[in-house]
Amino acid sequence: MPIEIPTDLTPELVPLSWLIGEWEGRGRLGSGDEDSEHFLQHVSFTHNGLPYLQYRAESWLTDDEGTRLRPLTVETGFWALERKQLDADGGPGLVPADIVPVLKSADEVEALRNKDGGFDISVSIAHPGGITELYYGQIKGPQIQLTTDMVMRGSHSKDYSAATRIFGLVDGNLLWRWDVATGGEGGNGLEAHASAFLHRLS
């Protein structure tokens, strides 16, 4: 399935462009075994001309047939190529970026390829309950692997110490898996948290 790259996309978002759009589908909590609960998820990746994607995922618990039972959670964040921030970049806060993108051509973006032939990326995701994740990882074609570098928790947040996420584009569908370590009793090992199969809406 061909991927259309928006004409107004800043060059450094081209490696992430296959994510852009609305996705929806069903998943299972935990390891996805027979007793695992079902959920429905709606995911959006959008851009506004700046060198990052805005991410939002809203999920609902469902019955076995996919009927919504109640809201599950919402998460939101930003996805970008991992590179040094320069004076021409925006921020912190409302400090404006230069009008011209920092990376102006495909050649400049290609120079960021890592030794594995992919691109290093950073992803920040905020959750209800005072938890924010900072992931580093790689995007290589239609595959993404992420590992938390940091999990920030509020003073009353539940235990949560680390996570990994993988994403893949298969026959035009977005598949993902999320493994989590709570850091509570029982150790810090990663355990299956959820997985889903999403189809593109737009």
Side-chain angles (χ1 to χ4, degrees), residues 58-82:
E58 188 169 6
S59 304
W60 300 263
L61 281 175
T62 71
D63 61 18
D64 293 356
E65 303 301 316
T67 302
R68 293 186 192 186
L69 301 176
R70 57 188 170 89
L72 184 57
T73 192
V74 178
E75 57 181 30
T76 185
F78 303 94
W79 296 52
L81 294 191
E82 172 61 13

mmCIF file of all heavy atoms in Angstrom, residues 58-82:
data_model
loop_
_atom_site.group_PDB
_atom_site.id
_atom_site.type_symbol
_atom_site.label_atom_id
_atom_site.label_comp_id
_atom_site.label_asym_id
_atom_site.label_seq_id
_atom_site.Cartn_x
_atom_site.Cartn_y
_atom_site.Cartn_z
ATOM 1 N N GLU A 58 -6.849 7.275 22.584
ATOM 2 C CA GLU A 58 -7.972 7.155 23.525
ATOM 3 C C GLU A 58 -8.484 5.724 23.463
ATOM 4 O O GLU A 58 -8.672 5.174 22.380
ATOM 5 C CB GLU A 58 -9.077 8.139 23.160
ATOM 6 C CG GLU A 58 -10.186 8.225 24.187
ATOM 7 C CD GLU A 58 -11.129 9.399 23.933
ATOM 8 O OE1 GLU A 58 -10.978 10.073 22.889
ATOM 9 O OE2 GLU A 58 -12.009 9.634 24.775
ATOM 10 N N SER A 59 -8.704 5.114 24.636
ATOM 11 C CA SER A 59 -9.063 3.701 24.691
ATOM 12 C C SER A 59 -10.286 3.480 25.574
ATOM 13 O O SER A 59 -10.505 4.212 26.552
ATOM 14 C CB SER A 59 -7.893 2.868 25.241
ATOM 15 O OG SER A 59 -6.722 3.079 24.477
ATOM 16 N N TRP A 60 -11.069 2.440 25.228
ATOM 17 C CA TRP A 60 -12.262 2.057 25.973
ATOM 18 C C TRP A 60 -12.261 0.548 26.210
ATOM 19 O O TRP A 60 -11.923 -0.223 25.297
ATOM 20 C CB TRP A 60 -13.526 2.394 25.182
ATOM 21 C CG TRP A 60 -13.704 3.836 24.858
ATOM 22 C CD1 TRP A 60 -14.461 4.743 25.537
ATOM 23 C CD2 TRP A 60 -13.155 4.540 23.725
ATOM 24 N NE1 TRP A 60 -14.392 5.968 24.916
ATOM 25 C CE2 TRP A 60 -13.601 5.879 23.805
ATOM 26 C CE3 TRP A 60 -12.320 4.155 22.672
ATOM 27 C CZ2 TRP A 60 -13.246 6.835 22.863
ATOM 28 C CZ3 TRP A 60 -11.955 5.111 21.740
ATOM 29 C CH2 TRP A 60 -12.417 6.432 21.838
ATOM 30 N N LEU A 61 -12.643 0.112 27.388
ATOM 31 C CA LEU A 61 -12.872 -1.310 27.622
ATOM 32 C C LEU A 61 -14.099 -1.735 26.834
ATOM 33 O O LEU A 61 -15.073 -0.977 26.706
ATOM 34 C CB LEU A 61 -13.099 -1.591 29.104
ATOM 35 C CG LEU A 61 -11.857 -1.642 29.998
ATOM 36 C CD1 LEU A 61 -12.282 -1.801 31.463
ATOM 37 C CD2 LEU A 61 -10.946 -2.794 29.598
ATOM 38 N N THR A 62 -14.068 -2.942 26.281
ATOM 39 C CA THR A 62 -15.204 -3.457 25.513
ATOM 40 C C THR A 62 -15.526 -4.884 25.954
ATOM 41 O O THR A 62 -14.736 -5.530 26.655
ATOM 42 C CB THR A 62 -14.906 -3.472 24.004
ATOM 43 O OG1 THR A 62 -13.944 -4.504 23.718
ATOM 44 C CG2 THR A 62 -14.392 -2.126 23.516
ATOM 45 N N ASP A 63 -16.665 -5.376 25.487
ATOM 46 C CA ASP A 63 -16.949 -6.788 25.672
ATOM 47 C C ASP A 63 -16.296 -7.586 24.544
ATOM 48 O O ASP A 63 -15.591 -7.017 23.695
ATOM 49 C CB ASP A 63 -18.461 -7.045 25.762
ATOM 50 C CG ASP A 63 -19.211 -6.640 24.498
ATOM 51 O OD1 ASP A 63 -18.576 -6.488 23.423
ATOM 52 O OD2 ASP A 63 -20.445 -6.471 24.576
ATOM 53 N N ASP A 64 -16.538 -8.873 24.516
ATOM 54 C CA ASP A 64 -15.900 -9.730 23.507
ATOM 55 C C ASP A 64 -16.283 -9.349 22.086
ATOM 56 O O ASP A 64 -15.531 -9.627 21.138
ATOM 57 C CB ASP A 64 -16.268 -11.202 23.741
ATOM 58 C CG ASP A 64 -15.688 -11.741 25.031
ATOM 59 O OD1 ASP A 64 -14.945 -10.998 25.687
ATOM 60 O OD2 ASP A 64 -15.977 -12.892 25.381
ATOM 61 N N GLU A 65 -17.449 -8.729 21.918
ATOM 62 C CA GLU A 65 -17.937 -8.367 20.587
ATOM 63 C C GLU A 65 -17.487 -6.977 20.154
ATOM 64 O O GLU A 65 -17.781 -6.546 19.037
ATOM 65 C CB GLU A 65 -19.474 -8.440 20.561
ATOM 66 C CG GLU A 65 -20.051 -9.791 20.955
ATOM 67 C CD GLU A 65 -19.553 -10.889 20.052
ATOM 68 O OE1 GLU A 65 -19.521 -10.662 18.823
ATOM 69 O OE2 GLU A 65 -19.189 -11.969 20.557
ATOM 70 N N GLY A 66 -16.812 -6.248 21.039
ATOM 71 C CA GLY A 66 -16.329 -4.913 20.690
ATOM 72 C C GLY A 66 -17.230 -3.781 21.124
ATOM 73 O O GLY A 66 -16.961 -2.620 20.801
ATOM 74 N N THR A 67 -18.301 -4.065 21.860
ATOM 75 C CA THR A 67 -19.185 -3.015 22.351
ATOM 76 C C THR A 67 -18.522 -2.265 23.496
ATOM 77 O O THR A 67 -18.017 -2.881 24.447
ATOM 78 C CB THR A 67 -20.516 -3.612 22.849
ATOM 79 O OG1 THR A 67 -21.125 -4.329 21.774
ATOM 80 C CG2 THR A 67 -21.463 -2.521 23.327
ATOM 81 N N ARG A 68 -18.485 -0.948 23.416
ATOM 82 C CA ARG A 68 -17.845 -0.143 24.453
ATOM 83 C C ARG A 68 -18.567 -0.314 25.785
ATOM 84 O O ARG A 68 -19.791 -0.213 25.867
ATOM 85 C CB ARG A 68 -17.846 1.333 24.078
ATOM 86 C CG ARG A 68 -16.982 1.667 22.879
ATOM 87 C CD ARG A 68 -16.931 3.173 22.671
ATOM 88 N NE ARG A 68 -16.364 3.513 21.382
ATOM 89 C CZ ARG A 68 -16.103 4.747 20.982
ATOM 90 N NH1 ARG A 68 -16.383 5.764 21.787
ATOM 91 N NH2 ARG A 68 -15.592 4.977 19.793
ATOM 92 N N LEU A 69 -17.788 -0.522 26.842
ATOM 93 C CA LEU A 69 -18.333 -0.635 28.189
ATOM 94 C C LEU A 69 -18.085 0.639 28.992
ATOM 95 O O LEU A 69 -18.980 1.156 29.643
ATOM 96 C CB LEU A 69 -17.710 -1.828 28.913
ATOM 97 C CG LEU A 69 -17.917 -3.192 28.256
ATOM 98 C CD1 LEU A 69 -17.166 -4.274 29.026
ATOM 99 C CD2 LEU A 69 -19.410 -3.526 28.173
ATOM 100 N N ARG A 70 -16.847 1.135 28.959
ATOM 101 C CA ARG A 70 -16.509 2.360 29.696
ATOM 102 C C ARG A 70 -15.145 2.860 29.238
ATOM 103 O O ARG A 70 -14.350 2.093 28.680
ATOM 104 C CB ARG A 70 -16.501 2.124 31.197
ATOM 105 C CG ARG A 70 -15.577 1.036 31.689
ATOM 106 C CD ARG A 70 -15.806 0.776 33.178
ATOM 107 N NE ARG A 70 -15.130 -0.403 33.649
ATOM 108 C CZ ARG A 70 -13.887 -0.435 34.127
ATOM 109 N NH1 ARG A 70 -13.173 0.687 34.170
ATOM 110 N NH2 ARG A 70 -13.349 -1.559 34.563
ATOM 111 N N PRO A 71 -14.867 4.157 29.466
ATOM 112 C CA PRO A 71 -13.557 4.692 29.086
ATOM 113 C C PRO A 71 -12.440 3.989 29.846
ATOM 114 O O PRO A 71 -12.602 3.623 31.018
ATOM 115 C CB PRO A 71 -13.644 6.169 29.479
ATOM 116 C CG PRO A 71 -15.111 6.463 29.548
ATOM 117 C CD PRO A 71 -15.761 5.192 30.011
ATOM 118 N N LEU A 72 -11.304 3.817 29.181
ATOM 119 C CA LEU A 72 -10.149 3.172 29.794
ATOM 120 C C LEU A 72 -9.080 4.206 30.139
ATOM 121 O O LEU A 72 -8.715 4.377 31.291
ATOM 122 C CB LEU A 72 -9.595 2.101 28.844
ATOM 123 C CG LEU A 72 -8.444 1.238 29.324
ATOM 124 C CD1 LEU A 72 -8.798 0.518 30.617
ATOM 125 C CD2 LEU A 72 -8.066 0.221 28.244
ATOM 126 N N THR A 73 -8.573 4.931 29.140
ATOM 127 C CA THR A 73 -7.591 5.979 29.414
ATOM 128 C C THR A 73 -7.346 6.804 28.159
ATOM 129 O O THR A 73 -7.818 6.464 27.066
ATOM 130 C CB THR A 73 -6.252 5.388 29.912
ATOM 131 O OG1 THR A 73 -5.427 6.437 30.429
ATOM 132 C CG2 THR A 73 -5.512 4.675 28.795
ATOM 133 N N VAL A 74 -6.596 7.879 28.323
ATOM 134 C CA VAL A 74 -6.137 8.722 27.217
ATOM 135 C C VAL A 74 -4.655 8.992 27.445
ATOM 136 O O VAL A 74 -4.225 9.196 28.589
ATOM 137 C CB VAL A 74 -6.894 10.071 27.163
ATOM 138 C CG1 VAL A 74 -6.356 10.941 26.036
ATOM 139 C CG2 VAL A 74 -8.391 9.841 27.007
ATOM 140 N N GLU A 75 -3.862 8.967 26.377
ATOM 141 C CA GLU A 75 -2.465 9.373 26.476
ATOM 142 C C GLU A 75 -2.159 10.310 25.317
ATOM 143 O O GLU A 75 -2.785 10.230 24.260
ATOM 144 C CB GLU A 75 -1.511 8.181 26.498
ATOM 145 C CG GLU A 75 -1.626 7.248 25.323
ATOM 146 C CD GLU A 75 -0.661 6.074 25.412
ATOM 147 O OE1 GLU A 75 -0.322 5.642 26.534
ATOM 148 O OE2 GLU A 75 -0.240 5.591 24.348
ATOM 149 N N THR A 76 -1.216 11.207 25.548
ATOM 150 C CA THR A 76 -0.887 12.191 24.521
ATOM 151 C C THR A 76 0.606 12.478 24.554
ATOM 152 O O THR A 76 1.247 12.334 25.605
ATOM 153 C CB THR A 76 -1.687 13.495 24.734
ATOM 154 O OG1 THR A 76 -1.437 14.401 23.665
ATOM 155 C CG2 THR A 76 -1.353 14.151 26.050
ATOM 156 N N GLY A 77 1.167 12.858 23.403
ATOM 157 C CA GLY A 77 2.599 13.098 23.396
ATOM 158 C C GLY A 77 3.128 13.633 22.089
ATOM 159 O O GLY A 77 2.362 14.099 21.229
ATOM 160 N N PHE A 78 4.456 13.530 21.925
ATOM 161 C CA PHE A 78 5.161 14.072 20.769
ATOM 162 C C PHE A 78 6.203 13.078 20.297
ATOM 163 O O PHE A 78 6.909 12.472 21.107
ATOM 164 C CB PHE A 78 5.825 15.407 21.136
ATOM 165 C CG PHE A 78 4.861 16.433 21.649
ATOM 166 C CD1 PHE A 78 4.653 16.584 23.016
ATOM 167 C CD2 PHE A 78 4.139 17.217 20.772
ATOM 168 C CE1 PHE A 78 3.743 17.512 23.494
ATOM 169 C CE2 PHE A 78 3.228 18.149 21.240
ATOM 170 C CZ PHE A 78 3.026 18.300 22.601
ATOM 171 N N TRP A 79 6.303 12.910 18.970
ATOM 172 C CA TRP A 79 7.260 11.996 18.349
ATOM 173 C C TRP A 79 8.151 12.801 17.403
ATOM 174 O O TRP A 79 7.660 13.615 16.612
ATOM 175 C CB TRP A 79 6.524 10.939 17.526
ATOM 176 C CG TRP A 79 5.642 10.003 18.312
ATOM 177 C CD1 TRP A 79 4.673 10.340 19.203
ATOM 178 C CD2 TRP A 79 5.648 8.582 18.242
ATOM 179 N NE1 TRP A 79 4.068 9.213 19.684
ATOM 180 C CE2 TRP A 79 4.641 8.121 19.118
ATOM 181 C CE3 TRP A 79 6.397 7.659 17.505
ATOM 182 C CZ2 TRP A 79 4.374 6.768 19.289
ATOM 183 C CZ3 TRP A 79 6.129 6.314 17.678
ATOM 184 C CH2 TRP A 79 5.129 5.876 18.569
ATOM 185 N N ALA A 80 9.461 12.566 17.456
ATOM 186 C CA ALA A 80 10.381 13.327 16.608
ATOM 187 C C ALA A 80 11.661 12.537 16.388
ATOM 188 O O ALA A 80 12.011 11.640 17.164
ATOM 189 C CB ALA A 80 10.715 14.673 17.253
ATOM 190 N N LEU A 81 12.384 12.902 15.313
ATOM 191 C CA LEU A 81 13.732 12.386 15.155
ATOM 192 C C LEU A 81 14.585 12.912 16.296
ATOM 193 O O LEU A 81 14.444 14.066 16.707
ATOM 194 C CB LEU A 81 14.334 12.819 13.817
ATOM 195 C CG LEU A 81 13.695 12.272 12.530
ATOM 196 C CD1 LEU A 81 14.582 12.602 11.333
ATOM 197 C CD2 LEU A 81 13.450 10.772 12.604
ATOM 198 N N GLU A 82 15.471 12.074 16.798
ATOM 199 C CA GLU A 82 16.357 12.477 17.886
ATOM 200 C C GLU A 82 17.604 13.141 17.308
ATOM 201 O O GLU A 82 18.367 12.512 16.566
ATOM 202 C CB GLU A 82 16.736 11.247 18.720
ATOM 203 C CG GLU A 82 17.797 11.491 19.763
ATOM 204 C CD GLU A 82 17.415 12.524 20.809
ATOM 205 O OE1 GLU A 82 16.224 12.910 20.917
ATOM 206 O OE2 GLU A 82 18.325 12.973 21.527
#
